[in-house]
Amino acid sequence: MFKNTFQSGFLSILYSLGTKPLQIWDKSSTEDGQVKRVNDDLIQSAVIEIVGQNIAQNFITCPADPQKTLAITLPFFVMIVKNLDSLFSFEVQILDDKKTKRRFRCSNFQTITRVKPYMCSIPLRLEEGWNVLQINLSDFCRKAYGSAFVEVLRVQIHANCRIRRVYCLE
């Protein structure tokens, strides 16, 4: 999606205040879950809320088209997210210099880091209220797989959270 876009500094893929914040995202929710824009009392602003009993089936994913990739070369992944005191996870799929697709999954129900050939599971601890999560994908890729980060392919954010913004940085 962004392969032919000049990428320098900052590239936003979700901003809750935009006119169509989920325009490039696909939504998936079950009968017990939902993805919607709500007003957050704490920050007095519109945010995207993803909630549901089954976190595996209630999520948003970018890009919406499963045949496309983001092709974002900026190595820092940042998400401004609110802790809803429930199960929550997200994953970032990347391509490394060995031309291998890898996923980094962060979740608040994981207790230890697990590195498998194509996926690295990382425990996540959220503070009460709003959190700024920043992941150095280049560093993670080097430490987990001994390879170099090339680009972000996909992002998937599962229930239960509120999202203000998702972006990549240099």
Side-chain angles (χ1 to χ4, degrees), residues 114-157:
R114 289 192 179 106
V115 179
K116 295 181 179 177
Y118 302 105
M119 187 174 79
C120 180
S121 300
I122 304 157
L124 176 67
R125 185 178 159 271
L126 295 174
E127 297 294 327
E128 188 176 314
W130 286 93
N131 293 260
V132 177
L133 307 177
Q134 180 173 305
I135 298 175
N136 182 340
L137 295 169
S138 184
D139 192 45
F140 273 30
C141 195
R142 186 180 71 254
K143 288 180 178 175
Y145 299 107
S147 58
F149 166 80
V150 173
E151 64 186 26
V152 174
L153 300 174
R154 302 190 69 73
V155 174
Q156 196 167 79
I157 305 168

Side-chain angles (χ1 to χ4, degrees), residues 1-57:
M1 287 186 68
F2 297 103
K3 193 167 207 65
N4 297 322
T5 303
F6 177 69
Q7 298 180 32
S8 177
F10 174 94
L11 182 61
S12 182
I13 56 174
L14 188 155
Y15 184 46
S16 63
L17 294 181
T19 54
K20 294 182 180 178
L22 295 173
Q23 185 173 8
I24 63 172
W25 294 76
D26 185 33
K27 299 184 286 186
S28 176
S29 59
T30 58
E31 289 178 14
D32 74 323
Q34 60 187 3
V35 177
K36 65 179 182 177
R37 193 184 330 205
V38 298
N39 194 47
D40 186 79
D41 294 335
L42 188 62
I43 60 172
Q44 299 291 305
S45 182
V47 296
I48 302 299
E49 181 177 75
I50 309 168
V51 292
Q53 294 288 341
N54 185 336
I55 68 165
Q57 295 179 342

